[in-house]
């Protein structure tokens, strides 16, 4: 297992000098609709108190966006301030985009930031500090929602914040060991990918197609199998703020996302076994969700807005996820729903931005 070394700060534009492991940041993007979000995400990395070695912006099969970003950050795909623009060298989807970033990166630690999120100033500093322990192979952080409507909908339960890519009620606070980190706000030691392989394609996000997640769960379980004694942490001091568009502030989105989560969990359980694949989910469904329903009903009795609706959404979301899991399990038994694990350290097919966009 690689031990953290000492290195000067990279050229990414942060303040001061960093000691400890070097950190590359990967931001995967796919649509020009998020142009301002992408620029804000990159700017938040530049403003870190603990500078990144480099920021890699990986474009998922969108030549127009690739050209626009290359022009923004340097036509050669590598701006002088440490921002590099790359084309996804694998199949369409978030997993292959992340693997492209891993293969092209140079840091001892690789951090991932969603393209519609901004990191707080000490985000990378808290990540890097955790890797002083050589057993630590991954560290995740806390993701807070930024509602486009400027406030959480009364009916939206905190237990379902995972549906909009955020930290949900039920995760432990502080700095604690976890089964898996959440990929939009996470970091991994480079040796994790060398030992366990990259993100699995065919299970993660691909635009608006289903299934829509769980690739981080599958990778983390695979990692702890490959590295007995590996420590995976959640440090809620590493905070990012994730934008939630109005289209996701609707019950229909939560229901669809819950169904997709069930499909994805079925794939993970088939790959790693239900014992590992559903260990955290059992606690969530038997303790966290019932407590959420009780809280909603209590709020309703006290006349607080949205209490009954929150309880109903929790029950409906659980029903949708259970249905998705059943469908996914049936598909898997019939030979469908397969996915492949990439060797993330093989950068074959990477091309400069201007070539990939031609």
């Amino acid at each position: 297992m690689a031990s953290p070394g000492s290195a000067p700060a990279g050229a990414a534009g942060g303040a001061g000098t960093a000691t400890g492991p070097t950190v590359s940041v990967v931001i995967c993007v796919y649509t020009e609709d998020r142009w301002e979000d992408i620029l804000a995400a990159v700017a938040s990395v530049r403003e870190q108190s603990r500078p990144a070695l480099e920021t890699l912006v990986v474009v998922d099969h969108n030549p127009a966006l690739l050209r626009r970003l290359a022009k923004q950050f340097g036509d050669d795909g590598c701006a002088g301030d440490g921002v590099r623009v790359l084309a996804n060298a694998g199949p369409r989807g978030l997993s292959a985009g992340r693997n492209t970033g891993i293969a092209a990166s140079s840091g001892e630690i690789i951090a991932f930031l969603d393209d519609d999120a901004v990191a707080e100033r000490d985000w990378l500093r808290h990540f890097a500090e955790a890797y002083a322990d050589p057993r630590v192979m991954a560290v995740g952080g806390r993701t807070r929602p930024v509602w486009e409507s400027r406030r959480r909908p009364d009916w939206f339960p905190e237990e379902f914040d995972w549906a909009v890519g955020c930290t949900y009620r039920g995760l432990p606070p502080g700095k604690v060991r976890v089964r898996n980190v959440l990929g939009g706000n996470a970091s991994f030691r480079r040796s994790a990918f060398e030992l366990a392989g990259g993100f699995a394609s065919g299970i993660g996000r691909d635009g608006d197609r289903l299934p829509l997640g769980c690739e981080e769960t599958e990778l983390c379980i695979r990692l702890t199998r490959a590295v007995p004694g590996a420590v995976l942490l959640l440090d809620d001091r590493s905070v990012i703020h994730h934008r939630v568009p109005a289209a996701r502030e609707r019950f229909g989105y939560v229901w669809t996302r819950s169904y997709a989560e069930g499909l994805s969990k079925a794939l993970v359980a088939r790959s790693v076994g239900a014992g590992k694949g559903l260990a955290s989910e059992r606690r969530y469904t038997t303790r966290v969700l019932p407590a959420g329903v009780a809280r909603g009903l209590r709020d309703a009795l006290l006349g607080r807005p949205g209490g009954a609706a929150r309880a109903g959404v929790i029950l409906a979301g659980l029903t949708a996820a259970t249905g998705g899991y059943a469908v996914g399990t049936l598909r898997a038994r019939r030979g469908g729903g397969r996915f492949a694990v990439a060797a993330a350290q093989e950068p074959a097919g990477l091309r400069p931005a201007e070539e990939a966009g031609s």
Side-chain angles (χ1 to χ4, degrees), residues 19 28 58 80 91 131 133 142 146 160 215 220 261 286-287 299 320 328 355:
T19 59
C28 295
V58 183
Y131 290 99
D133 182 345
R142 177 168 294 276
V146 179
F160 272 70
E215 68 273 25
C220 288
E261 187 75 2
T286 60
R287 296 176 61 183
D299 287 347
E355 293 179 7

Side-chain angles (χ1 to χ4, degrees), residues 320-346:
T322 302
Y325 184 83
V327 171
T329 300
L330 182 61
R331 289 178 181 174
R333 288 175 178 173
R334 293 177 175 176
R338 299 182 183 276
F339 57 91
V341 175
Q345 294 301 306
E346 298 178 3

